[in-house]
Amino acid sequence: MNLKKEIEDIKNEISRELNLSTSKKEIENIRIKYLGRKGIITQKLKNIKHLKDEEKPLYGKELNILKLTIEEEIAKRGQEITKTVKEEEQFFDWTMPGDRRWLGHLHPLTTTMDEIVEVFLRMGFTVELGPDVETDFYNFEALNFPKNHPSRDIQDTFYLENNLLLRTHTSPVQIRVMEKIKPPIRIISPGRCYRVDNFDSSHSPVFHQVEGLYVDENVSLSDLIGTLDIFAKAVFGSSTRTKFVPHFFPFTEPSAEVLVSCPFCKEKGCSTCKHTGWIEILGCGMVHPAVYRSVGYDPDKYSGFAFGLGIERVCMPKYGINDMRLFFENDLRFTKQF
Amino acid sequence: MKVSIEWLKEFVDIDISIDELARRLTEQGVSVEGVEQIGEDYVLDLEITPNRPDLLSVFGIAREIKAMLGKENKKNPFRITEEVRTTGSNIRVKIENFSDCPRYTGCSIENIELGSSPDWIKRRLEIMGIRSLNNVVDVTNYILLEMGHPLHAFDSECIKGNKINVRRAKEGESIVTLDGETRKLDSDFLVIADSEKPIALAGIMGGEKSEIKNETRNIFIESAFFSPTLIRKGAKRLNISTESSYRFERKADINSLIPALLRTNELIIKFCSGEMKGGITDIYKKEEEEKKKVFFSIEWLNGFLGSNLSRKEIIEPLTALDLNVKGNTSLEVEIPSFRRDIGIKEDIAEEVIRMVGFDSIPSSNKITFEKVGSIPENSLKINKIKNYFVSLGYDEVVNISFVSNGEINTLKIGKEPAVIQNPITSNLTHLRPTLIIGLLKTMKKNISIGIRDVRIFELGNTFVYTSQGKIDEPLRISGAISGHLKNHDWRAENRRADYYDLKGDIEGLFDVSRIKDVRFEKKEGDFAFLIEGSNIYIENDKVGFIGSLSKEIRDKFDLLEKVFLFEIELAPLLTRISFDYKFKPFPRFPAVLRDLCLLVPENVTHHQIEKIIKNSGKKLVEGIQLFDTYYNKKFSPGLRSFTYSLTFRSNNETLNDARVNATVEEILQSLDNGLGIKLRGEE
Ligand SMILES: [Zn+2]
């Protein structure tokens, strides 16, 4: 019989038996079976003397290695077993807690962002991304901000060297896309934005937005209302109502703020909605003709709408989070709730 | 802006409840932030958007309410009934540059009796946040609130040479303003000067010297138009905002100067006695411009709004807002000068929608669900990576993008970081060149609240300068583990996380990404903050690092336990991740297992052994598993034992013992020759 094959078989068999063993007693039995005075290996070693002289050294060496390996394996398995259960305490209580792994959690901003993106994907919007570091042209100029508009101030916008700035909204992505392609355009741009604000319960110098843009022939305000209405219902529940209130943004005309009925109190008023029954979540409007001109579109041919919503602003009422700082403090007691 | 209901009622009848008024104003775009009851009166707190300076007055709000309720104005302070004598006053006015100040009007009033104002004026001022000073100043403030145009009263005795020069300040000039502050001026500031020196900061604040005092008898009233840009700049440099500068910044109505001046005269003569001296000064370089007009068709408007409004429904609200509309299906709207925000047909659409309400526009479902949008492939890959870490029990954290120079220096992490010119605080001055700083702060924070066992990751942009001086925004993923691997429960073996735990998670990331050629090579010393670290390579691209945080840095972040962390740049990973893969049929021939118990010199790495086994294994080695390491005093010094389990398999045949044995022999031979590795028991 082939020596190596024989040893291999013995080794495999021992491994199998050790794996099945659950008590010290069983392990001891295995040890006796192989290494005891009348054990299999012991017997084989004794039998060497009956072999031919030229076979003796090889056989001896291989068997001794096998014996060493088995001793190590048995010792190891023994340790494993003592660690898991003490034999005399072996009992079964099906109500004892299961052995839990730690669960990981996505940050609520990630899940909220994904959820919002998902709704717009289903409405035919394509995701476009842009850089955080921007120029005045993309962040302000092309979006019809007048030269002396307060948003450009260092009190509002973070500036870097060489007149670069940190985008104050994700609208620059709209300009970058419109420069590249002609309508129809239906995009959303999620991302991180920056404004000079100190941290407090409703402000953060860093926040997240999803902006949308739809430009085509004959896009109307009515389409904007329909789109955002469906969005609100998808995110806050099918009974959600929306309210549009006129507002002002340089890059849209007409402009509006959109309020959704409070998902907690159903418009009755509660602390989340500051007792108004409504929560402000986004700004929107019909794209200003000056924006079309800055990207070389014909304002008489195309019309369209744009909207921008703060992820934090959507996330806060959704989960009843009352302080914006919680998003960026990374207290794991917060993160692990989502 | 605060506005008194009682005062509003002077201009328009309000026959709805305060709550309803507040609600309807808000829905019309004049946002009511609060309502307060003061005595018998109510005060609305309004948020006026920057495009509507015409609403920064009681009359402006009254006009909006009038339009909303479909009423008439009870009176209009802008309506001039008498002829205006612009024959000039005793003070001679010169404008140095008409682009700084296109129009300046004023008049002199003599022999006034200074005193305090009637109580009702005091009360109205107070409600709207202005302190009563004396009857003259109170009147100018009263008119500012009523009509929205800022005025200023000078003590005529303090206008040297009876001359007013509207000019830029000279380098080195200064002025003590009404608040007692000395303001150093330069040519960025527009001033009102007499023949000698500045006596007021134009449009921002008067000078202390020329202010109305107890002994003042003769005064000069100024009603002017100053360049919004210039006022903005000046107010900003001095870091002040006054009722006056606030309105000038948002652009005054050039046609309201004379009406405001006349109304001021009227009230001053009424409450302070006095009489007008000479005529009215009006320096105006009038640019001949036609009345602003906007043209649009009813068809366009209904198309743009998606509405079905009749001509009447469109014209009525516009007329109510004092916009004059002509035409039948093609309309022409004449824009009065107080509506500085209207210039194009979209602006008219906004006025219509404000008045008829968004509720009258049907909600279209034209664009919903007609096609499915797409998401960049990289975003999908990123989601996959995030979910991978979450599935391993990591919590995602989100840190802001700002760090301090000190933190960057502490880690000595290569590359020049981008500097923020106007940081909010001195510890948030730089854009993060790495996510590690945020993770360490997160760990510190959580340890401080008693969470010691931490597994976290962050995925986000970092910022570095490229060699061309541009700012690059490499996307990175970074993670850290510290403390125990599991909860301390009744049977868990409560082991602490170590390097190999983290490394296994990284290897898994490459596995799920189907990226094969990954190496971990001992770090080259460029991360001072790592010990027991290594660089991570995909093929020949260095993509990141992994290691244990040095004690020195741990101390700086108050981290008591060992911390293991990694950072990987995502671009090289994302380009290699492919969603295009095919099912592989199961192997047709059985595998053969062989264990090799090797004695390995200390300086030899697992990676070297693995490489030799692969190379000398003649493509028959399918798997190499290091399943045991062992050290025994009986070994010669400098040796340890590695036990490998090798899987052999051929795609073409069932391997026989002879073939496997021969391959094993060859592997052993190569290991011996190349690395001095012997089989245990043969040493
Ligand atoms: Zn509520």
Side-chain angles (χ1 to χ4, degrees), chain A residues 262-279:
Chain A
C262 178
F264 292 100
C265 62
K266 308 283 172 221
E267 295 174 49
K268 283 188 200 79
C270 67
S271 62
T272 301
C273 59
K274 298 194 186 84
H275 305 284
T276 61
W278 295 86
I279 292 167

Side-chain angles (χ1 to χ4, degrees), chain A residues 105 121 153 161 222-223 253 336, chain B residues 232 350 362 364 373 395 465:
Chain A
H105 304 81
L121 279 178
D153 291 352
E161 288 129 316
S222 165
D223 299 326
E253 186 72 33
K336 284 180 189 295
Chain B
R232 259 194 75 64
E350 174 162 73
S364 129
D395 290 322
Y465 272 106

Side-chain angles (χ1 to χ4, degrees), chain B residues 7 112 114-126 129-146 149 151-153 212 219 221 263-264 267-268 271-272:
Chain B
W7 197 349
I112 54 146
L114 208 69
S116 65
S117 303
D119 283 349
W120 62 271
I121 288 203
K122 282 187 188 169
R123 198 187 70 81
R124 283 183 171 182
L125 292 181
E126 209 174 290
I130 294 179
R131 197 160 54 93
S132 164
L133 288 172
N134 55 55
N135 48 6
V136 171
V137 174
D138 286 359
V139 166
T140 59
N141 282 330
Y142 186 85
I143 299 302
L144 173 134
L145 295 177
E146 180 183 84
H149 189 76
L151 301 128
H152 189 68
I212 307 301
I219 61 171
I221 312 281
R263 177 109 172 97
T264 308
L267 293 190
I268 284 187
F271 298 120
C272 323

Side-chain angles (χ1 to χ4, degrees), chain A residues 241-260:
Chain A
R241 300 199 306 143
T242 49
K243 187 154 84 174
F244 288 69
V245 176
H247 200 69
F248 170 71
F249 305 110
F251 40 94
T252 49
E253 186 72 33
S255 309
E257 273 179 341
V258 181
L259 311 169
V260 295

Side-chain angles (χ1 to χ4, degrees), chain A residues 49-66:
Chain A
K49 59 181 178 239
H50 305 302
L51 290 170
K52 289 179 213 147
D53 277 355
E54 66 266 29
E55 283 180 348
K56 279 180 184 166
L58 180 68
Y59 221 108
K61 195 178 81 184
E62 292 288 339
L63 281 175
N64 273 314
I65 294 174
L66 180 63

